[in-house]
Amino acid sequence: MKFTKTLFIAALLLSGTAQAGPYTDKLSACLVGQSTMDDHVIIVQWMFAAMSKHPSVAPMGTVSEAQVDKANLRMAQLFTRLLTVTCRDQAVLALKNEGEVAIQQGFQALGQVAGRELFMDPNVAKGLSGMTKYIDTKKVAELRSP
């Protein structure tokens, strides 16, 4: 099975529009149901490390190349374990019957769960809600009666 970097990154970061089949659904359920909170932390750290390299975000904080490399290593180990050990049977059937898109959609589901957990943290929620003090509520209220 040959995965390109682009396919793997897309599998975890992009929402797909393709309809999942029954084997993909079973793989997704296994990946989500059998992964741990520690696994989800690995996914979120990997995504954060990757996103920190975007020019519009990079000035806000520093993630060293060593930290990025460690996040890549841990994510690769997690990816391999989940597909070849934890959810092996589901992965084999999904690949056989629905192709590589099954892996992509399975990890999309897992990435979404990991991301939701990140946003449920009280510190993150507080940080996100900080923008509300700058909203012009009068202008927003005017949307109801144009």
Side-chain angles (χ1 to χ4, degrees), residues 18-29:
Q19 190 70 16
Y23 297 98
T24 299
D25 289 344
K26 288 178 183 174
L27 175 60
S28 297

Side-chain angles (χ1 to χ4, degrees), residues 64-143:
S64 72
E65 288 304 316
Q67 289 171 313
V68 171
D69 194 53
K70 182 178 179 181
N72 284 329
L73 171 65
R74 293 180 71 206
M75 187 62 210
Q77 291 169 335
L78 174 62
F79 181 83
T80 302
R81 176 178 54 81
L82 287 174
L83 286 180
T84 66
V85 179
T86 308
C87 299
R88 180 181 176 80
D89 294 341
Q90 294 86 348
V92 167
L93 288 171
L95 280 170
K96 177 181 175 186
N97 292 289
E98 296 169 0
E100 288 185 4
V101 71
I103 304 299
Q104 179 183 2
Q105 291 181 348
F107 275 90
Q108 283 174 358
L110 180 56
Q112 289 170 356
V113 169
R116 272 195 307 266
E117 288 172 354
L118 172 76
F119 287 105
M120 290 181 353
D121 180 88
N123 295 315
V124 174
K126 182 178 177 183
L128 291 171
S129 68
M131 58 87 68
T132 60
K133 66 184 174 184
Y134 301 107
I135 293 175
D136 187 334
T137 55
K138 184 178 178 183
K139 285 184 178 179
V140 174
E142 290 173 358
L143 294 172

